[in-house]
């Protein structure tokens, strides 16, 4: 599982946009996004850089969390 810090989400629409973007990345089996925590969790074998790029393309800032 990979945890991402996601900045810029303000509502459930943002959550869904980020979640869908993550699910489109090859290798992603499951994605959960928390608006309150500003975090996302991804299961699967996706390239972390591809995940960050997918979120960025939706207009949010993401980085890999510890
Ligand atoms: Cu929103």
């Amino acid at each position: 599982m990979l945890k991402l810090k996601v900045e810029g989400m303000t509502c459930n629409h943002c959550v869904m946009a980020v979640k869908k973007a993550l699910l489109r990345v090859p290798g992603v089996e499951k994605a959960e996004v928390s608006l309150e925590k500003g975090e996302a969790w991804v299961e699967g074998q996706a390239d972390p850089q591809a995940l960050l790029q997918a979120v960025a393309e939706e207009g949010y800032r993401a980085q890999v969390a510890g």
Side-chain angles (χ1 to χ4, degrees):
M1 188 191 74
L2 189 69
K3 188 160 105 175
L4 305 178
K5 201 80 189 166
V6 181
E7 293 178 50
M9 297 189 295
T10 57
C11 69
N12 279 325
H13 174 265
C14 300
V15 169
M16 290 309 299
V18 170
K19 184 170 180 173
K20 285 181 180 174
L22 292 171
L23 288 171
R24 280 196 298 268
V25 175
V28 173
E29 293 168 2
K30 189 178 175 190
E32 296 294 339
V33 180
S34 168
L35 176 62
E36 294 174 355
K37 293 183 177 178
E39 293 175 351
W41 300 265
V42 175
E43 290 181 17
Q45 301 296 324
D47 173 11
Q49 286 303 322
L51 297 173
L52 300 184
Q53 185 176 341
V55 174
E57 285 172 359
E58 293 296 323
Y60 307 97
R61 295 174 302 281
Q63 59 190 52
V64 176

